Amino acid sequence: MNQLGVGIAITGSGSAKPELSLNNHQLSQMVETSDEWIASRTGIRERRLADEQISLSSLATEAANGAIAMAGITPQDLDLIILATSTPDDLFGTASQIQAKLGATQAVSFDLTAACSGFVFGMVTAAQFIRTGTYKNVLLIGADILSRWVDWQDRGTCILFADGAGAVVMEANESDRFLGFSLRSDGTQYKYLQLAYIPQSQELVNGMVVGKGNFQPIIMNGKEVYRFAVQKVPEVIEKALFQANMTTEDIDWLLLHQANQRILDAVAERLNIPKEKVISNLANYGNTSAASIPLALDEAVRQGKVKAGDVVAAAGFGAGLTWGASIFRWGK
């Protein structure tokens, strides 16, 4: 039991994917690339894309319903909803729309933005509310629709990013199943992966010049992001394991942000974790940002891979630059 006396359990998971699929062969008709080129460099074979009728809140709500049902609670039991996303339907926030769609009338809700690290940052944030006794049942959602911010002529990014949502329910529990974490940020490297605002025009308002603009498509320096991930992710996992008083030998499953199969393989190798312990669904879904960890977790749970009591080391990394890891046992 932790020193504050309130344990945490991750009791349910859910996920949602758009129906529309774009495989590498289809993508090669749009930009100069090939299935062999993409698969050998990223491990991705296809990705899911949201059409214009799909909102982030609808995907997130579907994933949330799955997690709530598995946890055996109702939306009215929720005290808090955290939405980890970089692509909200509304820049003022989308979590409250999800709260309304769920009918979670007792829950406070807010968005959290930490890009591809968002889900792990969200886990740690949720844990603090539970630890202090402020809230008992927390719904954490990771969801992104990155396809709407991709330059489909940029071969370096359009092959990677996709859309989806995943969710978990975290509950106050007698035994503590949330074992350790470590979070990091380095804003000096933000330029390596960004979706930045750019001014496009000016307008005169009462004698003052006011700018107007929009967000540019995703820009990424793939080599630098790869170098950063392979170096920093093993370190942050080891720090989280140290806090949990564990070693890599105690890990049943390594669950990394699904960015690139070469990164997954390199991190596992550096930690001496065998490939059969690495959860990967990257080939089917691509990089879904904050959704990738809970989406892969839900799939593994429903396939019977991840079982109650299994130790999971989850790590996210991405724009900011941000990175972090959490160590938890699945289930009550």
Side-chain angles (χ1 to χ4, degrees):
M1 183 66 66
N2 68 85
Q3 61 181 354
L4 292 178
V6 180
I8 298 168
I10 298 89
T11 59
S13 64
S15 59
K17 293 85 65 176
E19 290 295 325
L20 179 63
S21 175
L22 181 69
N23 64 39
N24 292 346
H25 293 295
Q26 294 168 316
L27 194 54
S28 68
Q29 307 303 312
M30 302 165 53
V31 66
E32 186 179 347
T33 188
S34 67
D35 176 61
E36 190 279 329
W37 192 91
I38 298 171
S40 64
R41 286 163 175 78
T42 70
I44 300 170
R45 294 286 183 180
E46 62 180 324
R47 68 284 296 144
R48 300 291 185 89
L49 306 179
D51 64 34
E52 61 181 6
Q53 303 299 320
I54 294 178
S55 64
L56 184 85
S57 62
S58 64
L59 279 177
T61 301
E62 182 182 343
N65 278 320
I68 291 167
M70 185 184 291
I73 62 173
T74 71
Q76 290 74 29
D77 294 320
L78 295 173
D79 303 304
L80 173 64
I81 298 170
I82 300 175
L83 171 64
T85 188
S86 300
T87 57
D89 293 332
D90 184 330
L91 279 179
F92 287 155
T94 298
S96 293
Q97 295 179 41
I98 298 165
Q99 182 239 25
K101 288 183 176 182
L102 289 171
T105 54
Q106 303 304 309
V108 66
S109 55
F110 62 83
D111 289 22
L112 180 153
T113 300
C116 300
S117 307
F119 185 79
V120 172
F121 277 51
M123 286 193 89
V124 175
T125 302
Q128 310 316 304
F129 283 104
I130 298 173
R131 289 261 190 258
T132 59
T134 305
Y135 297 128
K136 180 181 178 181
N137 297 316
V138 180
L139 172 67
L140 170 62
I141 308 166
D144 271 303
I145 299 182
L146 286 176
S147 65
R148 292 173 182 169
W149 299 101
V150 166
D151 177 357
W152 289 98
Q153 299 305 310
D154 178 7
R155 185 174 68 167
T157 57
C158 74
I159 64 173
L160 299 173
F161 297 108
D163 310 330
V168 297
V169 170
M170 299 175 64
E171 301 181 29
N173 196 58
E174 282 191 17
S175 63
D176 195 15
R177 319 281 275 186
F178 192 73
L179 307 174
F181 70 87
S182 181
L183 304 179
R184 296 297 305 275
S185 300
D186 183 0
T188 66
Q189 300 188 68
Y190 83 94
K191 62 184 178 182
Y192 294 139
L193 181 53
Q194 56 178 312
L195 202 172
Y197 171 87
I198 52 172
Q200 294 176 329
S201 63
Q202 293 180 340
E203 187 173 327
L204 198 63
V205 179
N206 196 29
M208 298 180 294
V209 176
V210 178
K212 288 188 174 182
N214 206 334
F215 292 91
Q216 66 183 1
I218 297 168
I219 293 176
M220 184 179 71
N221 184 321
K223 290 182 179 180
E224 291 297 335
V225 171
Y226 176 86
R227 184 180 294 117
F228 141 75
V230 170
Q231 177 186 354
K232 297 297 185 181
V233 174
E235 291 178 3
V236 81
I237 291 173
E238 288 178 333
K239 288 179 180 178
L241 284 168
F242 180 79
Q243 188 184 86
N245 195 27
M246 288 180 163
T247 70
T248 54
E249 293 182 356
D250 297 310
I251 296 173
D252 293 305
W253 300 102
L254 179 63
L255 176 56
L256 301 179
H257 164 51
Q258 306 288 295
N260 185 307
Q261 190 63 44
R262 291 193 301 162
I263 293 176
L264 272 62
D265 293 342
V267 171
E269 184 177 351
R270 290 200 176 197
L271 292 171
N272 293 315
I273 295 175
K275 289 184 177 181
E276 56 267 24
K277 289 187 175 185
V278 180
I279 296 174
S280 175
N281 65 359
L282 180 69
N284 298 324
Y285 302 115
N287 180 341
T288 56
S289 192
S292 77
I293 290 175
L295 199 162
L297 174 64
D298 182 55
E299 195 168 76
V301 168
R302 293 178 187 274
Q303 289 173 349
K305 290 182 179 180
V306 175
K307 298 177 175 63
D310 283 359
V311 174
V312 179
F317 51 91
L321 295 175
T322 57
W323 64 106
S326 63
I327 313 298
F328 61 90
R329 288 188 187 276
W330 173 253
K332 292 185 178 180

PDB file of all heavy atoms in Angstrom, residues 303-319:
ATOM      1  N   GLN A 303      -7.950  -9.975 -26.371  1.00  0.00           N
ATOM      2  CA  GLN A 303      -7.419 -11.182 -27.009  1.00  0.00           C
ATOM      3  C   GLN A 303      -6.949 -12.210 -25.979  1.00  0.00           C
ATOM      4  O   GLN A 303      -6.571 -13.325 -26.344  1.00  0.00           O
ATOM      5  CB  GLN A 303      -6.258 -10.817 -27.936  1.00  0.00           C
ATOM      6  CG  GLN A 303      -6.670 -10.074 -29.193  1.00  0.00           C
ATOM      7  CD  GLN A 303      -5.471  -9.583 -29.999  1.00  0.00           C
ATOM      8  OE1 GLN A 303      -4.325  -9.607 -29.536  1.00  0.00           O
ATOM      9  NE2 GLN A 303      -5.731  -9.131 -31.214  1.00  0.00           N
ATOM     10  N   GLY A 304      -6.965 -11.825 -24.711  1.00  0.00           N
ATOM     11  CA  GLY A 304      -6.542 -12.742 -23.659  1.00  0.00           C
ATOM     12  C   GLY A 304      -5.050 -12.754 -23.406  1.00  0.00           C
ATOM     13  O   GLY A 304      -4.567 -13.598 -22.628  1.00  0.00           O
ATOM     14  N   LYS A 305      -4.310 -11.847 -24.015  1.00  0.00           N
ATOM     15  CA  LYS A 305      -2.859 -11.780 -23.762  1.00  0.00           C
ATOM     16  C   LYS A 305      -2.591 -11.207 -22.378  1.00  0.00           C
ATOM     17  O   LYS A 305      -1.937 -11.834 -21.543  1.00  0.00           O
ATOM     18  CB  LYS A 305      -2.176 -10.923 -24.835  1.00  0.00           C
ATOM     19  CG  LYS A 305      -2.130 -11.529 -26.217  1.00  0.00           C
ATOM     20  CD  LYS A 305      -1.378 -10.597 -27.169  1.00  0.00           C
ATOM     21  CE  LYS A 305      -1.279 -11.184 -28.558  1.00  0.00           C
ATOM     22  NZ  LYS A 305      -0.546 -10.276 -29.493  1.00  0.00           N
ATOM     23  N   VAL A 306      -3.044  -9.983 -22.152  1.00  0.00           N
ATOM     24  CA  VAL A 306      -2.854  -9.338 -20.858  1.00  0.00           C
ATOM     25  C   VAL A 306      -3.929  -9.835 -19.907  1.00  0.00           C
ATOM     26  O   VAL A 306      -5.123  -9.685 -20.164  1.00  0.00           O
ATOM     27  CB  VAL A 306      -2.928  -7.800 -20.987  1.00  0.00           C
ATOM     28  CG1 VAL A 306      -2.849  -7.144 -19.610  1.00  0.00           C
ATOM     29  CG2 VAL A 306      -1.813  -7.285 -21.880  1.00  0.00           C
ATOM     30  N   LYS A 307      -3.485 -10.437 -18.794  1.00  0.00           N
ATOM     31  CA  LYS A 307      -4.404 -11.028 -17.819  1.00  0.00           C
ATOM     32  C   LYS A 307      -4.302 -10.299 -16.485  1.00  0.00           C
ATOM     33  O   LYS A 307      -3.318  -9.598 -16.223  1.00  0.00           O
ATOM     34  CB  LYS A 307      -4.094 -12.506 -17.637  1.00  0.00           C
ATOM     35  CG  LYS A 307      -4.271 -13.343 -18.902  1.00  0.00           C
ATOM     36  CD  LYS A 307      -3.884 -14.787 -18.657  1.00  0.00           C
ATOM     37  CE  LYS A 307      -4.164 -15.661 -19.877  1.00  0.00           C
ATOM     38  NZ  LYS A 307      -3.362 -15.242 -21.053  1.00  0.00           N
ATOM     39  N   ALA A 308      -5.307 -10.490 -15.651  1.00  0.00           N
ATOM     40  CA  ALA A 308      -5.318  -9.859 -14.337  1.00  0.00           C
ATOM     41  C   ALA A 308      -4.040 -10.200 -13.568  1.00  0.00           C
ATOM     42  O   ALA A 308      -3.645 -11.369 -13.499  1.00  0.00           O
ATOM     43  CB  ALA A 308      -6.534 -10.305 -13.544  1.00  0.00           C
ATOM     44  N   GLY A 309      -3.400  -9.181 -13.024  1.00  0.00           N
ATOM     45  CA  GLY A 309      -2.166  -9.362 -12.269  1.00  0.00           C
ATOM     46  C   GLY A 309      -0.899  -9.188 -13.077  1.00  0.00           C
ATOM     47  O   GLY A 309       0.190  -9.076 -12.508  1.00  0.00           O
ATOM     48  N   ASP A 310      -1.013  -9.161 -14.411  1.00  0.00           N
ATOM     49  CA  ASP A 310       0.170  -8.960 -15.245  1.00  0.00           C
ATOM     50  C   ASP A 310       0.755  -7.565 -15.034  1.00  0.00           C
ATOM     51  O   ASP A 310       0.014  -6.578 -14.906  1.00  0.00           O
ATOM     52  CB  ASP A 310      -0.180  -9.121 -16.729  1.00  0.00           C
ATOM     53  CG  ASP A 310      -0.324 -10.575 -17.148  1.00  0.00           C
ATOM     54  OD1 ASP A 310      -0.136 -11.458 -16.299  1.00  0.00           O
ATOM     55  OD2 ASP A 310      -0.628 -10.820 -18.334  1.00  0.00           O
ATOM     56  N   VAL A 311       2.078  -7.487 -15.010  1.00  0.00           N
ATOM     57  CA  VAL A 311       2.773  -6.207 -14.865  1.00  0.00           C
ATOM     58  C   VAL A 311       3.036  -5.621 -16.246  1.00  0.00           C
ATOM     59  O   VAL A 311       3.656  -6.260 -17.102  1.00  0.00           O
ATOM     60  CB  VAL A 311       4.102  -6.375 -14.113  1.00  0.00           C
ATOM     61  CG1 VAL A 311       4.888  -5.056 -14.094  1.00  0.00           C
ATOM     62  CG2 VAL A 311       3.851  -6.855 -12.691  1.00  0.00           C
ATOM     63  N   VAL A 312       2.546  -4.406 -16.459  1.00  0.00           N
ATOM     64  CA  VAL A 312       2.697  -3.717 -17.732  1.00  0.00           C
ATOM     65  C   VAL A 312       3.585  -2.495 -17.536  1.00  0.00           C
ATOM     66  O   VAL A 312       3.361  -1.692 -16.621  1.00  0.00           O
ATOM     67  CB  VAL A 312       1.336  -3.268 -18.296  1.00  0.00           C
ATOM     68  CG1 VAL A 312       1.512  -2.534 -19.623  1.00  0.00           C
ATOM     69  CG2 VAL A 312       0.409  -4.465 -18.454  1.00  0.00           C
ATOM     70  N   ALA A 313       4.596  -2.353 -18.380  1.00  0.00           N
ATOM     71  CA  ALA A 313       5.416  -1.146 -18.431  1.00  0.00           C
ATOM     72  C   ALA A 313       4.998  -0.380 -19.671  1.00  0.00           C
ATOM     73  O   ALA A 313       5.240  -0.811 -20.798  1.00  0.00           O
ATOM     74  CB  ALA A 313       6.898  -1.488 -18.486  1.00  0.00           C
ATOM     75  N   ALA A 314       4.327   0.759 -19.464  1.00  0.00           N
ATOM     76  CA  ALA A 314       3.843   1.579 -20.579  1.00  0.00           C
ATOM     77  C   ALA A 314       4.705   2.827 -20.694  1.00  0.00           C
ATOM     78  O   ALA A 314       5.061   3.436 -19.685  1.00  0.00           O
ATOM     79  CB  ALA A 314       2.386   1.966 -20.367  1.00  0.00           C
ATOM     80  N   ALA A 315       5.024   3.212 -21.926  1.00  0.00           N
ATOM     81  CA  ALA A 315       5.834   4.414 -22.136  1.00  0.00           C
ATOM     82  C   ALA A 315       5.373   5.158 -23.377  1.00  0.00           C
ATOM     83  O   ALA A 315       5.163   4.560 -24.432  1.00  0.00           O
ATOM     84  CB  ALA A 315       7.315   4.056 -22.266  1.00  0.00           C
ATOM     85  N   GLY A 316       5.202   6.461 -23.221  1.00  0.00           N
ATOM     86  CA  GLY A 316       4.849   7.324 -24.336  1.00  0.00           C
ATOM     87  C   GLY A 316       5.978   8.298 -24.623  1.00  0.00           C
ATOM     88  O   GLY A 316       6.765   8.631 -23.736  1.00  0.00           O
ATOM     89  N   PHE A 317       6.044   8.773 -25.852  1.00  0.00           N
ATOM     90  CA  PHE A 317       7.101   9.720 -26.242  1.00  0.00           C
ATOM     91  C   PHE A 317       6.657  10.455 -27.486  1.00  0.00           C
ATOM     92  O   PHE A 317       5.997   9.885 -28.349  1.00  0.00           O
ATOM     93  CB  PHE A 317       8.414   8.984 -26.493  1.00  0.00           C
ATOM     94  CG  PHE A 317       8.296   7.813 -27.423  1.00  0.00           C
ATOM     95  CD1 PHE A 317       8.472   7.952 -28.795  1.00  0.00           C
ATOM     96  CD2 PHE A 317       7.974   6.552 -26.938  1.00  0.00           C
ATOM     97  CE1 PHE A 317       8.345   6.874 -29.656  1.00  0.00           C
ATOM     98  CE2 PHE A 317       7.843   5.458 -27.792  1.00  0.00           C
ATOM     99  CZ  PHE A 317       8.026   5.620 -29.156  1.00  0.00           C
ATOM    100  N   GLY A 318       6.986  11.736 -27.560  1.00  0.00           N
ATOM    101  CA  GLY A 318       6.592  12.474 -28.752  1.00  0.00           C
ATOM    102  C   GLY A 318       6.787  13.966 -28.621  1.00  0.00           C
ATOM    103  O   GLY A 318       7.671  14.438 -27.899  1.00  0.00           O
ATOM    104  N   ALA A 319       5.930  14.698 -29.320  1.00  0.00           N
ATOM    105  CA  ALA A 319       6.089  16.145 -29.462  1.00  0.00           C
ATOM    106  C   ALA A 319       6.143  16.817 -28.105  1.00  0.00           C
ATOM    107  O   ALA A 319       5.560  16.377 -27.126  1.00  0.00           O
ATOM    108  CB  ALA A 319       4.950  16.707 -30.305  1.00  0.00           C
TER     109      ALA A 319
END
